[in-house]
Amino acid sequence: MKGPLVIAIDGPSAAGKGTLARRLAAHFRLPHLDTGLLYRAVGLLAEKSGRRPGEVATALQPSDLADPDLRTDQAGQAASKVAALPEVRDNLLNFQKKFAYQASGAVLDGRDIGTVICPGAPVKLFVTASLEARAERRHRELRERGLDTIKPRVLAEMAERDRRDSERAAAPLQAAPDAFLLDTSDMDADAAFAAALAFIERKGFRSSGP
Ligand code: DC
C-alpha cells in the first residue's frame, strides 16, 4: 500500500525550491517545513548570543523562526557556516524527521532532505538552476525588498555558499539517486510547479481536494 505523501525537495539557494514547496504543500494540503530557516535561526542566534551553535540548536523555539532578519543574506551566510557543524545537524535531525513522518505526510525543503532526513520519501525533487539565473533572481528579489545590492556581489556570495554547502563533509548538498531533477534556469514558477506535479501524479499521488 502507498504510504503518506512525503515530498523531499533539495537544491541550492534561489533555485525556486521554496516557492515550489509552498505551492505543492497548498495543492496537496500538506504541512510544509522550510528547513533552511532552522539553520538560519541557529546561525543568527549563535552570532548574537555568542553561544555554541550546537547548544543553540538544541534549544531552538518555534518563535525563533519568526524573526524577519532570518530572510537576509547575512543570515544565509551564517546558516551555511553553522550547517557544516555535525553537532548542529545532529541536534536538528529528530525534529525534522518527526515532521517528515507525521501521519498526514509533509513537504520539506532544504539541502539533505532526500539524502539524510527522509531517504524513504516516495517523492524526491532536486531543484537547480544555473548560478547566473539564481543570482539574477536573488538580486531582483533583494531590490524589490528595497535593499541596495550589486549583482556581481550577489553572484560571488552565492558561489561561496554553494561551495560551502556542497563540499562540506557532513550531509553535503547532493541529489538523491532517485530524485527527479528539475532545472528551472529557463522556467517560471508555474512551469516548475507543472513539471513537479506531473512527476508526482505519475507516482500515483493526487490531491484529495475539489
Ligand atoms: O535554503 P536556505 O538558503 O534558507 O538555507 C540556508 C543555509 O542553511 C544553506 O546555505 C545551507 C543550510 N541548510 C542545510 O545545510 N541543510 C538544510 N536542510 C537546509 C539548509
Side-chain angles (χ1 to χ4, degrees), residues 32-210:
H32 165 226
L33 180 64
D34 168 0
T35 64
L37 271 188
L38 304 174
Y39 293 92
R40 285 171 181 259
V42 171
L44 267 198
L45 282 172
E47 249 178 32
K48 279 185 192 159
S49 67
R51 277 154 62 214
R52 261 200 4 263
E55 190 191 315
V56 172
T58 54
L60 214 56
Q61 299 298 316
S63 58
D64 296 332
L65 305 181
D67 184 344
D69 284 353
L70 296 183
R71 302 281 171 197
T72 61
D73 272 1
Q74 184 206 347
Q77 292 290 350
S80 172
K81 287 177 193 154
V82 297
L85 304 172
E87 191 193 4
V88 168
R89 305 201 75 84
D90 286 351
N91 290 343
L92 295 176
L93 191 73
N94 276 347
F95 172 75
Q96 294 175 84
K97 276 190 182 283
K98 260 198 205 145
F99 192 94
Y101 291 115
Q102 58 190 303
S104 58
V107 180
L108 291 88
D109 71 274
R111 303 292 188 290
D112 63 340
I113 308 303
T115 50
V116 175
I117 305 299
C118 36
V123 172
K124 293 175 199 156
L125 308 171
F126 192 82
V127 184
T128 187
S130 67
L131 178 62
E132 177 64 31
R134 292 186 290 119
E136 174 60 39
R137 278 178 206 160
R138 187 79 186 128
H139 181 232
R140 210 181 319 130
E141 185 193 321
L142 291 171
R143 291 186 70 101
E144 278 166 13
R145 278 173 25 204
L147 297 166
D148 191 20
T149 63
I150 53 162
K151 204 173 128 201
R153 176 136 177 244
V154 173
L155 194 137
E157 284 182 0
M158 194 167 268
E160 185 195 336
R161 189 137 75 94
D162 281 358
R163 196 165 43 250
R164 205 183 298 118
D165 293 345
S166 308
E167 291 179 1
R168 67 183 180 218
L173 167 67
Q174 58 186 13
D178 54 345
F180 177 66
L181 298 184
L182 196 57
D183 186 331
T184 66
S185 305
D186 300 312
M187 279 183 187
D188 63 12
D190 286 346
F193 175 70
L197 189 59
F199 171 73
I200 297 169
E201 290 187 344
R202 280 200 298 279
K203 294 222 158 217
F205 292 99
R206 299 210 168 252
S207 163
S208 56

